[in-house]
Amino acid sequence: MKARVHVMLKEGVLDPQGEAVRHALDSLGFDGVEGVRQGKVIELDLADGTSEARIGEMCEKLLANTVIESYRIEVL
């Protein structure tokens, strides 16, 4: 079984990496990009039958800093 966890900074949290990407796109001539939010994707290979709740526990304890990040679980 596979799962994908999408982790993003919460709204209102400054994203310096996203801002750096936005500036780089602008300097490369890609105008019109008003904002960029950067996140990460974590792919997990799991034992069959692993529950989404268990994956949520993994996120809460290690994979995401829930003070400043939100996450979304996608079971594949």
Side-chain angles (χ1 to χ4, degrees):
M1 148 178 203
K2 292 185 182 277
R4 194 173 287 146
V5 178
H6 301 264
V7 181
M8 295 290 294
L9 288 171
K10 291 180 178 179
E11 288 298 321
V13 176
L14 295 177
D15 186 353
Q17 286 183 297
E19 191 60 20
V21 170
R22 189 190 66 73
H23 282 293
L25 289 170
D26 187 54
S27 70
L28 291 170
F30 296 103
D31 56 347
V33 179
E34 296 179 356
V36 175
R37 303 287 290 174
Q38 183 177 330
K40 58 189 172 188
V41 175
I42 303 165
E43 291 192 0
L44 302 169
D45 291 319
L46 302 162
D48 287 341
T50 302
S51 69
E52 193 166 328
R54 188 71 171 157
I55 300 167
E57 288 178 46
M58 294 176 199
C59 293
E60 295 285 329
K61 291 185 178 185
L62 177 68
L63 302 178
N65 177 350
T66 57
V67 173
I68 61 170
E69 295 174 321
S70 60
Y71 63 88
R72 178 174 55 88
I73 299 168
E74 178 184 4
V75 177
L76 307 173

